[in-house]
Amino acid sequence: MAMGFGRKNTEEVKLEEVKVWECTSEKCNCWIRDNFKSSQTPTCPICKSEMRETTKELQVVNNNSIYANS
């Protein structure tokens, strides 16, 4: 009887260039996706420092929250 252990996931991981905000503190490596931010110019949820806008190559994730992009 064959078992399915070790079988590779055939679903392709989709990556795209995504706008993110990263913490400006050298002691913190927090970042958040732009479509998950809580304000127009977010502060770091971990250390409360300023955040700067940049991009990362990330797996596609949709935010279906009613507050997204508001």
Side-chain angles (χ1 to χ4, degrees):
M1 180 173 356
M3 299 296 273
F5 297 113
R7 203 180 284 175
K8 291 192 178 203
N9 186 355
T10 57
E11 192 173 319
E12 184 182 332
V13 175
K14 293 178 184 169
L15 296 176
E16 69 178 8
E17 194 79 12
V18 176
K19 185 163 68 166
V20 298
W21 292 81
E22 51 184 26
C23 184
T24 57
S25 170
E26 291 181 16
K27 298 175 184 171
C28 183
N29 63 356
C30 181
W31 59 271
I32 54 174
R33 291 171 186 258
D34 184 66
N35 64 336
F36 282 81
K37 69 184 180 189
S38 57
S39 65
Q40 205 60 28
T41 51
T43 55
C44 179
I46 306 298
C47 72
K48 307 302 180 206
S49 295
E50 289 184 20
M51 298 188 89
R52 70 172 167 257
E53 195 176 321
T54 187
T55 59
K56 285 185 181 280
E57 185 85 3
L58 299 172
Q59 185 173 348
V60 176
V61 173
N62 294 317
N63 183 357
N64 297 323
S65 167
I66 61 171
Y67 301 108
N69 300 319
S70 55

